[in-house]
């Protein structure tokens, strides 16, 4: 963690960027709302945000900081999107109780646009056939508690999110909120939330972010999204900063943290001035420029340091409400060892930052910065996470677990415990892995290679898929969602 002596100068520099340099807001209506709340427009068009506004926002955020942090604990296990849905639907307690009894995980957070085709050993765009497969896989796999809504590339983009939400209902009940890529879709996702939950006040199925762009710009789409949410009574804003260190921030960690903190602070302040005293939070996701090839990567310590340093500054200075997941996604573009290493390393960095070895392994089936989904990688990640979940510190001690008479009898007879009834009754309590086996690879049945493990993972997800059964949704909800999609398609002129 940052030392207290480090937090102060970094926070002060970030505050100066917001108050002295300002935020460029690419929407006149939103900028006008900010000016009414005290922002000052500079000759460069940027809005200088008064320190008083930041103080007011921070004071309000501190009132609910403890509650937010309690919910944020779920991010370490559930990831951002599932955590949001559990929180918005009041299911945090249910998850904690359920997870203590059985293993659960999220799949493919936040939603791939491409699919890794094992047969061709290459990615391809997500189409409706892939979408259907992945939704069915989630429904058929008991360990999956939530799956992201994959982005179909063969559907009109204006209505793809809403239409995919409706289509998913035929295939699974394990989805949650989705993004309104187009601000005009906000009203439809608000209404979808009301249909699916039966609550006229709900917006649980409207997720997404107001995204900042470097340097200190609130771009047009996000500005319109803020205004549309306010208009529709969705008084919840989630600002995201997603820089590439060394490109859209300074290359040094101190400079990058200042820039990232300022961007998130400025974006949240804009939302505050547009709609004060509402549900306001932020999210930090960064990548790092690989100067060897110009690619962006999530591998290395810089990502974890940047994300968690920004979060710490918010927690100590501005009332928190800053989300950081364990590790965003591997940079690897193929399932296998590199993806596992990247997930492991990112998790290890977070464990050391938190001082908590119980932070779960971060893998959930995504590759290439989250945009590429691989069910084969998901099965591999799931096996690792199941192994970690199986670890228990407590040792149950009772007449059943400690058969004293048997211990004495076997010892006196100089025997062994293998043939004992007690061993037969309890031997299956040992955790064993389907993917990582103890077989002798020279015997021929199992060669122990990465290729063999990945083949087993592919076989596993395809076998799960064969067990799919359609979920049961009330007919009135299906009918109302059909009508909602039809209205949206008519508005956008698509079918």
């Amino acid at each position: 963690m940052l030392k207290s002596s480090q937090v102060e100068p970094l926070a002060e520099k970030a505050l100066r960027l917001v108050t002295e340099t300002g935020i460029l807001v690419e929407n006149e209506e939103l900028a006008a709302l900010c000016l009414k709340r005290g922002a000052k427009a500079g000759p460069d068009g940027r809005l200088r945000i008064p320190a008083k506004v930041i103080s007011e926002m921070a004071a309000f955020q501190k009132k609910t900081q403890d509650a937010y942090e309690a919910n944020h604990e779920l991010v370490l296990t559930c990831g951002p999107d599932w955590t949001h849905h559990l929180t918005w639907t009041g299911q945090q307690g249910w998850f904690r109780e359920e997870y203590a009894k059985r293993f659960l995980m999220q799949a493919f957070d936040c939603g791939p646009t491409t699919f890794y085709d094992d047969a061709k050993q290459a990615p391809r765009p997500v189409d409706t056939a892939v979408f259907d497969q992945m939704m069915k896989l989630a429904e058929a796999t008991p360990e999956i508690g939530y799956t992201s809504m994959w982005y179909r590339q063969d559907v009109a983009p204006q209505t793809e999110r809403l239409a995919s939400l409706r289509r998913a209902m035929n295939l699974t009940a394990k989805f949650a909120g989705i993004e309104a890529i187009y601000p005009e879709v906000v009203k439809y996702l608000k209404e979808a939330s009301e249909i699916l939950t039966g609550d006229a006040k709900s917006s649980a199925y409207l997720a997404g972010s107001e995204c900042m762009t470097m340097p200190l710009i609130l771009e047009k789409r996000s500005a319109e999204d803020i205004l549309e949410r306010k208009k529709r009574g969705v008084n919840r804003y989630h600002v995201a900063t997603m820089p590439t260190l060394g490109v859209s921030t300074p290359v040094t960690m101190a400079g990058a943290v200042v820039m990232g903190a300022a961007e998130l602070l400025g974006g949240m302040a804009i939302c505050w001035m547009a709609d004060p005293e509402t549900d306001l939070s932020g999210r930090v996701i960064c990548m790092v420029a690989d100067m060897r090839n110009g690619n962006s990567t999530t591998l290395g310590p810089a990502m974890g340091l940047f994300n968690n340093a920004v979060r710490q500054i918010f927690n100590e200075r501005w009332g928190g409400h800053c989300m950081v997941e364990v590790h965003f996604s591997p940079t690897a573009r193929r399932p296998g060892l590199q993806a596992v290493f990247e997930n492991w390393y990112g998790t290890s960095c977070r464990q050391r930052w938190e001082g908590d070895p119980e932070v779960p392994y971060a893998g959930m089936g995504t590759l290439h910065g989250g945009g590429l989904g691989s069910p084969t990688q998901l099965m591999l990640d799931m096996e690792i996470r199941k192994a970690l979940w199986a670890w228990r510190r407590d040792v149950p001690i009772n007449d059943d677990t400690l058969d004293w008479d048997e211990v004495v009898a076997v010892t006196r007879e100089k025997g062994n415990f293998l043939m004992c009834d007690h061993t037969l009754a309890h031997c299956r309590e040992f955790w064993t892995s389907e993917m990582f086996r103890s077989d002798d690879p020279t015997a021929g049945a199992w060669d122990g290679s990465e290729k063999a493990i990945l083949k087993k993972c592919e076989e596993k997800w395809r076998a799960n898929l064969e067990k799919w059964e359609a979920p049961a949704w009330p007919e009135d909800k299906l009918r109302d969602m059909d009508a909602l999609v039809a209205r949206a398609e008519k508005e956008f002129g698509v079918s």
Side-chain angles (χ1 to χ4, degrees), residues 22 40 274 404 442 448 481:
K40 302 296 181 184
W404 176 247
T442 64
M481 285 296 297

Side-chain angles (χ1 to χ4, degrees), residues 32 39 88 91 95 107 115 121 139 172 220 239 280 290 295 297 306 309 335 345 347 377 382 394 400 409 425 482 487:
W88 297 338
Q91 298 182 79
F95 173 79
F115 167 79
Q121 294 286 288
E139 186 68 16
T172 184
K220 180 177 181 293
V239 179
L280 180 59
D290 189 334
N295 291 329
T297 179
F306 173 87
Y345 185 80
T347 302
Q377 183 66 43
M382 183 180 292
D394 60 311
D400 186 42
D482 284 335
R487 279 169 36 212

Side-chain angles (χ1 to χ4, degrees), residues 404-417:
W404 176 247
D405 291 339
E406 180 186 76
V407 171
V408 172
V410 171
T411 302
R412 284 175 175 169
E413 296 168 8
K414 298 182 181 180
N416 66 72
F417 293 91

Side-chain angles (χ1 to χ4, degrees), residues 13-180:
K13 288 293 192 299
L15 182 62
R16 285 186 61 186
L17 273 177
V18 170
T19 59
E20 297 176 12
T21 303
I23 309 297
L24 184 61
V25 178
E26 294 183 339
N27 181 284
E28 292 184 1
E29 182 182 351
L30 183 58
L33 288 175
C34 295
L35 292 172
K36 287 181 180 179
R37 290 279 298 176
K40 302 296 181 184
D44 55 1
R46 289 182 174 273
L47 300 184
R48 277 66 167 170
I49 300 173
K52 180 183 177 183
V53 169
I54 302 297
S55 297
E56 291 173 355
M57 180 181 75
F60 180 80
Q61 296 287 83
K62 287 176 182 177
K63 296 177 183 179
T64 54
Q65 186 172 357
D66 289 345
Y68 180 88
E69 285 301 304
N71 291 329
H72 189 275
E73 290 176 3
L74 292 176
V75 174
L76 302 179
T77 303
C78 303
D81 288 2
W82 195 16
T83 295
H84 273 150
H85 190 73
L86 291 170
T87 302
W88 297 338
T89 55
Q91 298 182 79
Q92 308 98 308
W94 167 84
F95 173 79
R96 289 186 171 100
E97 291 178 7
E98 198 68 17
Y99 190 70
K101 295 182 290 185
R102 65 185 179 103
F103 172 77
L104 288 167
M105 69 174 288
Q106 74 279 34
F108 309 116
D109 199 275
C110 299
T113 58
T114 51
F115 167 79
Y116 189 82
D117 189 324
D118 289 300
K120 297 182 179 179
Q121 294 286 288
R124 61 184 175 91
V126 172
D127 57 17
T128 298
V130 168
F131 178 89
D132 289 357
Q133 270 196 326
M134 294 303 101
M135 296 302 107
K136 287 180 177 180
L137 176 62
E139 186 68 16
T141 304
E143 296 92 342
I144 296 177
Y146 154 81
T147 184
S148 64
M149 197 75 65
W150 290 50
Y151 287 80
R152 293 186 287 163
Q153 308 300 301
D154 58 347
V155 178
Q158 296 94 330
T159 55
E160 185 276 329
R161 292 287 75 193
L162 186 65
S164 291
L165 178 64
R166 170 59 187 91
R167 187 174 186 87
M169 294 174 70
N170 297 334
L171 308 168
T172 184
K174 296 180 180 180
F175 57 82
I178 56 177
E179 302 86 345

